[in-house]
Amino acid sequence: MSTISIIGSGNMTSAIGGLALRGGNAVEVIGRDAAKSESLAQQLGDGATAGAWGAAPAGDVVVLAVLFESAVDVVGQFGDALDGKVLVDITNPFNATATGLATPDGTSNAQLIAAAAPATAHVVKAFNTLFRDVLAAGGPLDVFLAGDDAQAKARVSAFIESLGLTPRDVGDLSMAHWLEGAGLLSVGLARNGVGNLDFSLGVNAR
């Protein structure tokens, strides 16, 4: 059994945490509001615990499930507590109308997070193209991921497989910009071509 730490206490924490427990992982929920984190851990069930904000996460894989606007600050607050951790950035940096990206051209929120993280931490972008309810329902789903460290990507891929999902490596962390654009594409499809949130992007291999 692996321990996965999730920073955040929102809907994506619930979705990923629930799948992680079903996949045989232990889950640590870390939120600013200790009571809310404890309540969510209890809702998730056996194998879930609440961790302390700012303390070193129990898991070697740490899912950053916070709003994109606060992600860099959160990583800075944890600081050296994230030494050696694999940080999974699931954020989508949309503008206020979700019609464009809020990050500067030529970068990504994942790269900004990597710049703020300790040098020994490795950031992997993943899960950002999946809507919460679709993810919570489980596979078969493709999870696109990008990162600079091969071992970190292998760790995240193994975690994704434990959820019953399929990891799809798209390349180094510079590709996170395009994954964040794919998140925006999903919103456009939900508003227009599909008309609902009950779908996911995936690979149709032949």
Side-chain angles (χ1 to χ4, degrees):
M1 176 182 289
S2 297
T3 298
I4 305 300
S5 296
I6 309 177
I7 300 176
S9 52
N11 288 336
M12 286 297 282
T13 296
S14 178
I16 294 174
L19 286 179
L21 289 171
R22 293 200 293 272
N25 304 282
V27 174
E28 178 187 44
V29 178
I30 305 172
R32 295 179 190 272
D33 186 328
K36 186 176 181 180
S37 298
E38 183 64 39
S39 176
L40 179 53
Q42 290 178 3
Q43 290 174 31
L44 287 171
D46 291 342
T49 59
W53 184 265
D60 290 331
V61 174
V62 181
V63 179
L64 193 59
V66 297
L67 296 176
F68 91 87
E69 298 98 325
S70 64
V72 170
D73 286 342
V74 167
V75 169
Q77 289 173 36
F78 275 78
D80 291 343
L82 299 176
D83 276 341
K85 303 294 185 180
V86 176
L87 304 181
V88 183
D89 168 34
I90 72 170
T91 65
N92 272 314
F94 299 158
N95 63 18
T97 57
T99 56
L101 297 176
T103 47
D105 290 342
T107 190
S108 64
N109 214 40
Q111 289 167 293
L112 297 176
I113 289 167
T120 57
H122 299 288
V123 175
V124 176
K125 186 79 181 187
F127 292 102
N128 73 294
T129 63
L130 292 166
F131 293 113
R132 184 266 175 195
D133 287 345
V134 172
L135 177 59
L141 298 170
D142 288 333
V143 181
F144 301 110
L145 66 144
D148 289 335
D149 185 84
Q151 289 186 333
K153 286 197 289 187
R155 293 286 300 277
V156 176
S157 293
F159 171 58
I160 290 169
E161 289 173 343
S162 80
L163 308 184
L165 312 178
T166 303
R168 300 289 189 182
D169 187 347
V170 305
D172 64 27
L173 200 61
S174 67
M175 291 297 291
H177 171 78
W178 303 108
L179 286 183
E180 292 169 2
L184 193 65
L185 173 67
S186 296
V187 172
L189 285 168
R191 288 173 171 172
N192 299 283
V194 177
N196 60 62
L197 303 177
D198 192 21
F199 70 94
S200 66
L201 303 181
V203 176
N204 183 11
R206 298 181 181 227

